[in-house]
Amino acid sequence: MTVSLEQLRRCHIGVDLGAARTRVFVKGAGLVVDEPSVAAVNTRTGALIAVGQLAEQMTGRTPGYIRVVRPVSGGTVVDIQMAQRMVRSLLGEKLRRALRRKPLLRAAACTPHDADPLAQRATVETLVGLGARRVELVDTLIAAAVGCGLPVEQPEATMIMVCGAATTQIAVLSLGSIVTAERIPVGGEAIDHAIVQHLRHQHELMLPSQSVRPLQLALHGNGLTPQGPESTEIHGRDVATGLARSVRVDTAAVRDAIHTPLTAVLDGIGKVLRDCPPDLVADLADRGITMVGGSALLPGLDQMLRDATGMPVRIAERPEVCAVLGLGAMLEGKIQPLVLSPLTGS
């Protein structure tokens, strides 16, 4: 573990600052915030206009003096002040007052695997600015494994894949620690971008950013697989004329377009398995890979991994909130470490 379970039990709140969504867990109250990591700012006055879901709906629809910003990128806080204002607004006045009553407020936060010291410091400073006196950092991979019920503390191999918006993290865990891990800068946003570029180049159609996810869902019957519908109608803007236009898109072509960024994920899985001890790899042949994160729900991704690796692949229950729920379980003392008694010679 990045930090001891005893220290985590003293924390009052757990925060998962993701590139796509911000989630806050309060001890005793559960998950209190689950909103997009987006804020809308009036550039003339500097005032915060909206945060979360409402700010995300404003993306691409605002006049010139309103700017929609994302203070978190790739699991790293890139704008500390804006991240503080966003989280403060998401928490709400009532909850902020309750937290202010705690004289020694302790917070725990998820950080990506192998996050550099600057990224860790940015996360700590964000929470200190919200009133935390002490901040504990937990690896996202471990928090997510705990949240989806994997036997992290046992001497057994468990393989987890955290599919985020900007990055994909893959790890093999045993005895409560990471044996080998890899972080790949490809996530849900890269897949969305591949679909947008495909439509632009093949059909000369510009797709609104808000339409990418509905398009993925429209294309899937049993995922973005051959069992899905052969084609679907898409509405967008013509690149040349700028007028509204509809085209019929072939599902197979879109499926091929999203395979390109996903090859990097397959390479990462191969590297993790090559670096893993043979005994642990033998365990994984039966247990397989557990997928968590919002992008794990991408249609057909689990089937593609099964075909490429030959291993069982399952998507965790409520995959998008596994990391923050795992952090919450540690805060509430629901996780017991494996006690290893030292052997005494007779």
Side-chain angles (χ1 to χ4, degrees):
M1 294 267 181
T2 314
V3 64
S4 76
L5 287 170
E6 189 57 44
Q7 287 173 303
L8 286 173
R9 284 195 196 101
R10 295 179 192 148
C11 293
H12 303 101
I13 63 169
V15 181
D16 180 14
L17 285 168
R21 296 184 80 87
T22 294
R23 299 179 177 95
V24 180
F25 185 100
V26 176
K27 189 190 279 189
L31 187 63
V32 295
V33 173
D34 183 4
E35 292 277 345
S37 304
V38 188
V41 185
N42 185 327
T43 54
R44 293 173 182 168
T45 62
L48 202 61
I49 294 171
V51 293
Q53 191 68 46
L54 180 58
E56 188 173 55
Q57 289 171 359
M58 293 181 180
T59 306
R61 302 169 186 268
T62 59
Y65 67 92
I66 295 177
R67 192 163 59 97
V68 177
V69 294
R70 292 181 177 270
V72 185
S73 175
T76 303
V77 178
V78 292
D79 187 339
I80 295 171
Q81 187 181 10
M82 187 54 67
Q84 287 173 352
R85 294 174 70 188
M86 179 186 75
V87 176
R88 199 178 287 125
S89 182
L90 288 172
L91 284 173
E93 186 59 37
K94 186 178 175 183
L95 188 56
R96 286 208 308 273
R97 276 203 304 268
L99 293 174
R100 272 202 298 266
R101 289 192 201 107
K102 300 181 188 298
L104 291 172
L105 180 66
R106 287 171 173 250
C110 292
T111 55
H113 179 68
D114 277 349
D116 59 77
L118 202 61
Q120 293 179 357
R121 184 180 174 85
T123 303
V124 171
E125 283 193 16
T126 301
L127 297 183
V128 167
L130 294 170
R133 296 289 181 270
R134 185 182 173 99
V135 180
E136 311 290 358
L137 298 179
V138 179
D139 198 303
T140 302
L141 289 162
I142 294 176
V146 169
C148 62
L150 293 176
V152 181
E153 296 295 332
Q154 300 302 315
E156 305 168 358
T158 51
M159 188 168 187
I160 190 160
M161 179 170 157
V162 179
C163 309
T167 59
T168 299
Q169 302 172 67
I170 307 156
V172 174
L173 310 174
S174 181
L175 285 172
S177 297
I178 294 171
V179 178
T180 175
E182 192 73 19
R183 184 158 64 132
I184 302 132
V186 172
E189 289 173 356
I191 295 165
D192 294 351
H193 182 70
I195 293 174
V196 169
Q197 290 301 311
H198 167 77
L199 290 171
R200 186 180 183 119
H201 293 145
Q202 299 300 319
H203 300 280
E204 295 186 348
L205 192 77
M206 288 183 73
L207 192 68
S209 59
Q210 305 280 329
S211 303
V212 179
R213 282 300 153 98
L215 165 61
Q216 291 171 359
L217 295 173
L219 287 174
H220 92 285
N222 184 26
L224 274 168
T225 59
Q227 289 80 30
E230 288 187 10
S231 63
T232 188
E233 194 169 3
I234 305 298
H235 306 285
R237 192 183 83 186
D238 190 283
V239 173
T241 64
L243 300 175
R245 185 162 67 91
S246 299
V247 295
R248 187 153 283 278
V249 177
D250 182 34
T251 309
V254 175
R255 196 162 61 241
D256 292 341
I258 71 166
H259 274 211
T260 306
L262 291 177
T263 51
V265 176
L266 297 176
D267 291 344
I269 292 173
K271 186 174 188 307
V272 167
L273 292 173
R274 283 195 300 274
D275 294 344
C276 194
D279 292 344
L280 293 180
V281 175
D283 286 353
L284 295 173
D286 301 325
R287 193 165 287 122
I289 305 168
T290 302
M291 294 171 63
V292 302
S295 298
L297 296 169
L298 182 74
L301 178 56
D302 53 337
Q303 188 58 48
M304 180 188 159
L305 291 176
R306 278 189 208 102
D307 296 342
T309 62
M311 294 167 65
V313 177
R314 75 178 184 93
I315 300 174
E317 191 178 345
R318 297 182 69 196
E320 64 278 8
V321 294
C322 277
V324 74
L325 291 182
L327 198 58
M330 294 183 208
L331 263 59
E332 295 184 335
K334 293 179 181 175
I335 309 301
Q336 297 301 322
L338 183 68
V339 177
L340 299 174
S341 301
L343 297 173
T344 55
S346 53

